[in-house]
Amino acid sequence: VGYDGFILAISFDTALRAAQELLPVPVVGITQAALVAAEPRERTIGVVVFGETCLPMYRRVIQSYGVSPVGYEIVGLGSAAAYLSPQALDRDVVAACARLGQAGAGAIVICGTVIAGMAARLQADVQVPLFDGASALALCLDHVRLRDTAPARPSALGDTIGLSQELTDLLRGTSLDTPP
């Protein structure tokens, strides 16, 4: 593959499990990493999401990791431009974190790809530890350091139709040790 690990920078960790099975190196999702960093088994967590339409998807993703948050807070978005300018949302995120803290959250995960780094920026304004997708780098490096690779790979594929030779080789496991 030519890399020591991959970070899947898609806030819903879309196709994470498939990528973990496919690649012979660690693959970490940004939502997964934020939840791991928040240590949900040792303390209750709250979750901040952006836009009401995202909530059902995040609930499914977070539940798939066996995490049951103490609560979710939705920060409304007036436009896509608002999400792409995360500093404009800081005040609303801090208020959402305060409500989650009052609800008993011992740590808070802020979900979203564009907002990776927001937790560090806002930590001084929030009473409980904050985490976001920026945690993925540390988790991925930990997996690389421990040589913690993917789950058992599925059996090799037979013929494929309409895929590039490179993708076919990758799916078959025949090009995994060949640098790009």
Side-chain angles (χ1 to χ4, degrees), residues 21 23 31 36 43 45 53 60-61 64 70-71 81 103 109 113 117 119 126 151 175 177:
E21 288 181 2
L23 298 170
T31 298
V36 168
R43 58 181 150 189
I45 65 164
T53 59
R60 283 191 297 275
V61 168
S64 77
V70 69
V109 170
T113 302
V126 178
S175 69
D177 297 324

Side-chain angles (χ1 to χ4, degrees), residues 63-154:
Q63 288 172 349
S64 77
Y65 292 123
V67 177
S68 298
V70 69
Y72 289 86
E73 281 287 328
I74 301 167
V75 173
L77 298 174
S79 67
Y83 182 65
L84 297 174
S85 301
Q87 291 83 356
L89 302 170
D90 286 359
R91 183 184 47 164
D92 293 338
V93 172
V94 169
C97 290
R99 289 189 297 274
L100 287 168
Q102 290 170 352
I108 297 171
V109 170
I110 307 171
C111 293
T113 302
V114 173
I115 57 80
M118 180 181 265
R121 189 174 71 250
L122 299 182
Q123 183 61 74
D125 298 324
V126 178
Q127 301 299 312
V128 299
L130 292 179
F131 301 90
D132 62 26
S135 305
L137 179 59
L139 183 61
C140 190
L141 290 174
D142 283 347
H143 285 298
V144 169
R145 182 180 51 80
L146 296 171
R147 298 189 187 281
D148 184 13
T149 58
R153 290 179 48 83

Side-chain angles (χ1 to χ4, degrees), residues 16-27 148-154:
L16 176 62
R17 289 186 173 101
Q20 289 171 331
E21 288 181 2
L22 179 64
L23 298 170
V25 296
V27 181
D148 184 13
T149 58
R153 290 179 48 83

